[in-house]
Amino acid sequence: MIDPLFGKKILDGQGDTIVSQISPEQVKKAAWTPGLFEAFTREDSLGLPALPGQESILSLHTGQFGEAATSLPTD
């Protein structure tokens, strides 16, 4: 799920308005930390599972934290 309000929308009978794909517009509404933003706008997502529609936000990557990291720590 991409929509941070999916539970509320279901309870309010607005299930048809749930966002299921990320987009540049949805990124603006998401309360992602700068680190999550940078991770999900990288082509490799630092090893995180890809998001539906992620290809639409790859151009937003800023490289703010550099390109040295190639994956998340495993331990």
Side-chain angles (χ1 to χ4, degrees), residues 21-75:
Q21 288 199 30
I22 196 68
S23 68
E25 296 79 27
Q26 187 61 29
V27 168
K28 293 175 187 174
K29 297 175 186 177
W32 286 352
T33 64
L36 279 177
F37 174 83
E38 287 299 299
F40 283 120
T41 56
R42 285 174 57 121
E43 286 192 36
D44 64 0
S45 302
L46 289 176
L48 295 169
L51 300 174
Q54 186 171 352
E55 61 281 348
S56 71
I57 65 170
L58 295 179
S59 64
L60 302 176
H61 184 72
T62 67
Q64 174 182 355
F65 300 113
E67 298 297 328
T70 57
S71 66
L72 294 173
T74 57
D75 43 83

Side-chain angles (χ1 to χ4, degrees), residues 8-17:
K8 181 177 180 352
K9 288 180 178 180
I10 289 171
L11 289 174
D12 293 346
Q14 299 175 340
D16 59 335
T17 66

